[in-house]
Amino acid sequence: MTDFDTLIVGAGIAGLTAARILASQGRQVVVLEARDRVGGRVWTSRSDGEVVDQGASWIHGVDGNPVADAVDAFGMRTVEFTVGSYQPDGRPIAYYSPTGTRLSDEATERFVSDIYSFNEYFATTIATSAPHTSFGEAVETTFSQLKWDDDRAMRVREFLRHRTEEQLGVWLDDLDAHGLDDDAIDGDEVVFPDGYDELATHLAQGLDVRLQHEVTRVTWTPGGATADTRHGPFSATRIVVTIPIGVLKSPGFVIDPPLPEHHSQALDRLEMNAFEKVFLRFPHKFWDDDVYAIRQQGEAGRWWHSWYDVSDAHGSPTLLTFAAGPCARETRAWSDEHIANSVLDALRGLYGERVVEPDRVHVTRWQDDPYSRGSYSYMTVGSDRSDHDDLSIPIENVLYLSGEATWTDDPSTVTAAVKSGHRTAEQILGRPVPYDTIWAGDRS
Ligand SMILES: Cc1cc2nc3c(=O)[nH]c(=O)nc-3n(C[C@H](O)[C@H](O)[C@H](O)COP(=O)(O)OP(=O)(O)OC[C@H]3O[C@@H](n4cnc5c(N)ncnc54)[C@H](O)[C@@H]3O)c2cc1C
């Protein structure tokens, strides 16, 4: 048994941020991580010189964002790619009609303008919606007020469905009406040609991180906490648990005594989503040049509806699409080859025989990952925005929950992970700490 000031469970971005701040203030911190690597849901694979971000790719808006500031301070390269939040426009997007013909500029403008008109009414519907209203119900209430013809309504309804799937990996009837309230993007979005995981590597520098130390039980009293691992127990004055809520809710992770009712009820109302990435690298580009994204409307795009040209970041002709929500659940049991063939069939509906065989395919499997159990959190119907922040209320100043799901303003992101880790460190230290403490002292 070893005694520390603070135990941190999880070496994802939240855990590393909290650990780095606490260590910089002289606290004795150890980070216990189940995997054989740091970063958690920020994970880059590298093979044959190909850099693939299997987890997070984007900073969703660099303005006033501590993640962007950290990335700058660490000297990480970025590429602008402002289409990662299912924007209808702003950057060139090639829309294809239900029959596979490319929409003219005028037709695209009409469609985009419909989305903006809808959103104005939709904001009021959501603000006035009763508790337990789903996102899907709020959409239908808004359409009943607009009285648009079927085709117009169908395309915008479908856009909202796809946005819900891509942003949160959930079917719109399973999401609370307020589930996308915090979806504002400030400034450009960027991705990482050298891999997002460099952020985790920088944050972990100089910290005491114990890899392959899965914690199965946390026991706590007002006097301190113990974490059980197969390497033995670790004890400290306090403990910060940053694991994804999918793991936190699972029977394999025990907190004894259990979380207080206020926390456990908030936790019950949040869920892990189903969201997987599919990267297809081709020998050459067969799609329109100079577009950020390709989108298919209509039934043909029920599952595979959006492709992102990530060639610049990857350094080779590459499209990224997502299996999200129902599609991710249905294709979970499929082989990578089966998934790739299904995506290629959808692309042939747009580009016919110009579609060539990919020379490399990557499919993520976050739903089957025992240390994640999904990709990120969403608000189930009946949840409240404050459920996120409520999770972060310190328990007897011994047990702290942190991580993306505990941050209200921009949950489900790396930004939320950094902000929540920073807040937890401030809670423990009992005073404000500037964000730049996170990157001060980096030796890159
Ligand atoms: C496919 C995908 C795409 C995404 N895209 C984006 C994006 O573009 N932009 C964005 O901002 N965000 C994105 N996200 C979300 C973002 O990655 C997460 O919100 C963020 O990384 C969460 O950080 P965290 O520290 O809260 O949790 P995690 O990164 O999950 O860290 C928790 C750590 O705890 C460890 N752990 C779990 N169980 C145990 C245990 N029992 N014992 C010890 N350790 C344990 C895990 O291995 C992990 O390292 C994406 C996520 C995924 C999966």
Side-chain angles (χ1 to χ4, degrees):
M1 173 117 48
T2 325
D3 281 304
F4 294 93
D5 177 78
T6 304
L7 301 178
I8 297 196
V9 185
I13 299 299
L16 294 173
T17 300
R20 202 168 158 91
I21 297 173
L22 292 170
S24 76
Q25 306 300 302
R27 301 295 177 109
Q28 256 219 308
V29 184
V30 66
V31 186
L32 304 172
E33 168 56 50
R35 302 179 197 271
D36 60 0
R37 60 172 180 83
V38 298
R41 285 171 275 168
V42 171
W43 174 36
T44 310
S45 65
R46 294 177 176 80
S47 61
D48 299 338
E50 201 184 11
V51 175
V52 178
D53 271 321
Q54 311 254 359
S57 297
W58 273 273
I59 299 182
H60 293 301
V62 294
D63 291 357
N65 189 330
V67 178
D69 295 340
V71 159
D72 278 350
F74 292 143
M76 291 167 59
R77 277 201 308 143
T78 58
V79 171
E80 184 274 328
F81 202 55
T82 312
V83 74
S85 302
Y86 216 72
Q87 294 92 333
D89 62 350
R91 296 293 184 274
I93 297 173
Y95 283 100
Y96 285 82
S97 74
T99 53
T101 51
R102 182 145 177 200
L103 260 58
S104 65
D105 290 349
E106 296 72 37
T108 301
E109 265 173 44
R110 272 199 306 278
F111 169 61
V112 169
S113 144
D114 277 352
I115 292 168
Y116 283 113
S117 314
F118 178 90
N119 280 345
E120 276 177 35
Y121 289 90
F122 192 43
T124 311
T125 313
I126 289 178
T128 55
S129 64
H132 292 274
T133 302
S134 74
F135 194 87
E137 284 165 340
V139 167
E140 292 313 316
T141 303
T142 310
F143 276 124
S144 66
Q145 291 158 354
L146 286 172
K147 303 191 178 11
W148 287 356
D149 67 50
D150 284 352
D151 182 61
R152 200 175 169 198
M154 181 278 286
R155 292 190 197 216
V156 173
R157 177 183 287 114
E158 182 184 82
F159 178 87
L160 290 154
R161 177 158 70 74
H162 292 166
R163 176 168 168 243
T164 317
E165 288 167 3
E166 274 210 13
Q167 288 298 87
L168 289 174
V170 60
W171 178 246
L172 75 181
D173 289 335
D174 296 333
L175 178 69
D176 191 84
H178 291 281
L180 273 171
D181 281 8
D182 294 294
D183 203 28
I185 303 300
D186 296 317
D188 283 351
E189 294 181 281
V190 296
V191 294
F192 296 89
D194 304 319
Y196 212 154
D197 71 341
E198 287 189 344
L199 175 63
T201 309
H202 281 285
L203 290 175
Q205 222 179 47
L207 295 177
D208 182 354
V209 181
R210 311 286 174 98
L211 299 177
Q212 293 179 306
H213 277 59
E214 177 178 354
V215 174
T216 48
R217 172 179 284 266
V218 168
T219 317
W220 64 278
T221 67
T226 299
D228 290 349
T229 74
R230 70 186 161 89
H231 305 281
F234 286 73
S235 292
T237 313
R238 61 188 66 79
I239 188 162
V240 180
V241 176
T242 74
I243 61 178
I245 58 165
V247 185
L248 194 54
K249 286 171 176 236
S250 72
F253 189 88
V254 176
I255 298 186
D256 181 23
L259 293 174
E261 204 172 293
H262 194 61
H263 291 73
S264 64
Q265 286 178 352
L267 186 61
D268 282 348
R269 291 187 287 264
L270 301 172
E271 270 309 334
M272 281 309 260
N273 69 2
F275 180 81
E276 306 292 356
K277 288 176 155 183
V278 182
F279 291 93
L280 301 157
R281 189 183 76 182
F282 295 96
H284 61 261
K285 275 194 189 186
F286 53 81
W287 55 93
D288 318 78
D289 219 356
D290 300 330
V291 295
Y292 278 52
I294 300 157
R295 294 209 178 123
Q296 164 82 70
Q297 300 180 325
E299 181 56 21
R302 187 165 67 96
W303 280 6
W304 315 111
H305 47 76
S306 302
W307 292 267
Y308 298 89
D309 184 350
V310 292
S311 307
D312 282 352
H314 280 241
S316 53
T318 305
L319 290 177
L320 164 64
T321 188
F322 301 105
C327 171
R329 296 200 192 283
E330 182 75 21
T331 57
R332 183 175 179 176
W334 293 11
S335 67
D336 289 5
E337 193 188 2
H338 189 170
I339 290 175
N341 285 336
S342 177
V343 174
L344 290 170
D345 278 349
L347 281 169
R348 282 192 196 99
L350 307 180
Y351 301 105
E353 292 315 307
R354 282 156 63 197
V355 175
V356 289
E357 284 299 309
D359 48 32
R360 182 158 296 198
V361 175
H362 286 281
V363 180
T364 66
R365 302 286 178 181
W366 291 99
Q367 295 169 91
D368 297 316
D369 184 322
Y371 303 126
S372 182
R373 292 174 169 254
S375 284
Y376 40 90
S377 62
Y378 71 90
M379 291 169 57
T380 64
V381 179
S383 60
D384 191 280
R385 293 180 65 237
S386 62
D387 286 336
H388 298 287
D389 278 346
D390 283 356
L391 284 177
S392 73
I393 298 168
I395 301 163
E396 305 268 4
N397 292 330
V398 171
L399 174 58
Y400 299 77
L401 300 183
S402 192
E404 56 87 6
T406 70
W407 189 262
T408 292
D409 285 344
D410 195 7
S412 319
T413 61
V414 175
T415 304
V418 165
K419 289 185 172 176
S420 70
H422 170 261
R423 173 180 55 195
T424 306
E426 287 190 333
Q427 288 170 336
I428 291 171
L429 294 166
R431 59 184 159 79
V433 180
Y435 271 113
D436 61 12
T437 312
I438 298 167
W439 50 90
D442 182 65
R443 287 184 293 277
S444 65

